[in-house]
Amino acid sequence: KHMVKPRLVFISNSTEIGSIYKKKELEELSSFCKKNGLFLYLDGARLGSALTSQENDLTLSELSKLVDIFYIGGTKNGALLGEAIIINNNKLKENFRFHLKQKGALLSKGRVIGIQFLELFKDDLFFELGKHANLMASKLAEGIKKSGYKFLTKPVSNQIFPILPNKLIEKLNKRYGFYGWSKIDDKKSAIRLVTSWATKEEFVDKFISELK
């Protein structure tokens, strides 16, 4: 009685550490939520990368049937801004537009955002952009691996987490923008590198050359 009652499970795909949910994992999580009266929400900010990962075995259609609500991220996959919210559970649809307006999230020109998604899903552009981001990350990860460095997590999406010497990180930080993720020991740390739909191959090659 003195605790907040759990009502929703929140996950991201891809996750904050670059991993992705496999079909079996999402099915088990979905089943658990249904049995325990919980809503399952999926943050799809990086869904383009997750669904085009070489290790992915989920389709967008399959994913949509396993969660109550999710969104397709546009901002991180080629759109100027905006996300497309998909509500599968009818219990969550009631008064949704009212809540949008009440919270100050209803745009007067919302159709402008919608047009972006119409274009993104023409000729599989959304997935092609995700594939490009993953391809650049894969090349970057391979170059880092060949340079003799390991990773905090297995690279499977457009976010990779190499473990590098602190002195090398200081050098790279003067030329590139990235996030220091976690300290491994007194001499090494993990950093977070993210590629995108706009990452050029020559930039990846340049970064790899700096590791030597």
Side-chain angles (χ1 to χ4, degrees):
K1 292 182 179 180
H2 298 286
M3 298 291 289
V4 174
K5 184 179 179 181
R7 193 71 177 100
L8 179 142
V9 172
F10 183 110
I11 61 174
S12 301
N13 199 27
S14 60
T15 71
E16 294 304 312
I17 56 171
S19 58
I20 64 170
Y21 281 90
K22 295 292 189 70
K23 184 178 180 180
K24 186 175 184 296
E25 293 173 325
L26 199 56
E27 286 176 339
E28 291 176 350
L29 191 52
S30 178
S31 176
F32 175 87
C33 288
K34 285 181 172 64
K35 289 178 181 178
N36 290 277
L38 299 169
F39 295 123
L40 180 56
Y41 175 89
L42 187 140
D43 177 332
R46 302 181 183 89
L47 194 57
S49 174
L51 292 178
T52 55
S53 168
Q54 290 187 347
E55 298 209 356
N56 176 61
D57 60 355
L58 262 174
T59 65
L60 182 58
S61 177
E62 290 170 335
L63 181 149
S64 69
K65 295 173 183 176
L66 294 171
V67 298
D68 294 291
I69 180 171
F70 72 104
Y71 75 84
I72 299 172
T75 306
K76 295 182 179 179
N77 202 49
L80 177 63
L81 77 162
E83 327 297 339
I85 300 174
I86 294 89
I87 305 174
N88 297 315
N89 190 319
N90 289 329
K91 294 179 181 178
L92 299 174
K93 293 179 181 179
E94 186 177 356
N95 296 321
F96 179 73
R97 289 183 179 276
F98 173 80
H99 291 308
L100 272 180
K101 189 170 184 179
Q102 187 181 52
K103 304 298 181 182
L106 185 62
L107 300 180
S108 60
K109 297 295 185 292
R111 61 183 177 276
V112 175
I113 295 178
I115 290 171
Q116 296 177 103
F117 285 92
L118 287 175
E119 294 302 315
L120 280 171
F121 280 96
K122 280 184 182 178
D123 303 318
D124 287 334
L125 177 60
F126 180 82
F127 299 103
E128 290 302 319
L129 294 175
K131 285 179 182 178
H132 176 79
N134 288 342
L135 181 62
M136 293 299 99
S138 179
K139 180 172 184 176
L140 184 57
E142 187 62 26
I144 292 171
K145 184 179 179 181
K146 286 182 178 179
S147 297
Y149 301 112
K150 297 181 179 180
F151 294 86
L152 185 66
T153 61
K154 182 181 178 181
V156 297
S157 67
N158 70 321
Q159 297 179 90
I160 62 175
F161 298 80
I163 298 172
L164 304 175
N166 292 333
K167 289 185 178 180
L168 177 57
I169 293 174
E170 290 177 11
K171 171 191 167 185
L172 294 171
N173 206 24
K174 294 176 182 179
R175 299 176 62 87
Y176 303 94
F178 54 82
Y179 185 77
W181 191 257
S182 62
K183 178 181 177 181
I184 303 302
D185 55 37
D186 291 337
K187 295 183 179 181
K188 300 188 295 294
S189 298
I191 64 172
R192 175 177 178 259
L193 300 175
V194 184
T195 54
S196 79
W197 60 275
T199 300
K200 295 181 179 180
E201 194 167 2
E202 54 262 39
F203 294 162
V204 173
D205 291 334
K206 178 64 176 175
F207 187 92
I208 293 172
S209 70
E210 301 272 9
L211 302 175
K212 299 175 182 177

